[in-house]
């Protein structure tokens, strides 16, 4: 990572890495179960904030995510968007 990379960029890079690691593990499972395995793992162990960030990465396109993660996205629970708190 470059020294000028923002914290957001570091978080995004780490989430992509983590999701791809999960996909790498589940590639060893039968193809009919792999996407479900990725989705189940992410739904079970990733907090809503992490899943929200994952979907933001997916929505950007050309994310560097493993195709198995993208396939599993349809099975991952998409958290509701957070409301921005505005100063009064």
């Amino acid at each position: 990572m470059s020294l000028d990379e923002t914290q957001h960029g570091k978080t995004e890079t780490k989430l992509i890495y983590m999701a791809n690691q999960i996909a790498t593990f589940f590639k060893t499972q039968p193809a009919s179960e792999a996407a479900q395995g990725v989705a189940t793992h992410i739904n079970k162990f990733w907090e809503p904030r992490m899943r929200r960030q994952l979907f933001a990465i997916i929505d950007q396109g050309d994310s560097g995510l493993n195709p198995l993660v993208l396939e599993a996205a349809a099975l991952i629970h998409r958290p509701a968007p957070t409301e921005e708190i505005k100063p009064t």
Side-chain angles (χ1 to χ4, degrees):
M1 285 182 238
S2 67
L3 294 175
D4 62 342
E5 188 173 16
T6 64
Q7 183 62 35
H8 174 74
K10 289 178 185 178
T11 301
E12 187 173 291
T13 301
K14 184 160 184 151
L15 285 174
I16 292 168
Y17 175 80
M18 290 168 54
N20 287 343
Q21 287 293 101
I22 294 165
T24 298
F25 171 80
F26 281 101
K27 278 185 181 180
T28 64
Q29 306 300 311
S32 61
E33 300 172 13
Q36 182 62 57
V38 171
T40 298
H41 181 90
I42 290 174
N43 286 329
K44 188 172 182 180
F45 296 108
W46 285 27
E47 64 181 31
R49 180 177 48 119
M50 293 170 70
R51 287 184 279 120
R52 195 174 294 111
Q53 291 171 329
L54 177 64
F55 280 108
I57 293 166
I58 291 169
D59 293 345
Q60 289 174 19
D62 194 28
S63 60
L65 287 166
N66 185 298
L68 187 54
V69 176
L70 298 174
E71 182 183 344
L75 305 169
I76 297 171
H77 303 151
R78 185 184 286 254
T82 57
E83 292 187 27
E84 211 173 290
I85 299 173
K86 297 180 182 177
T88 55

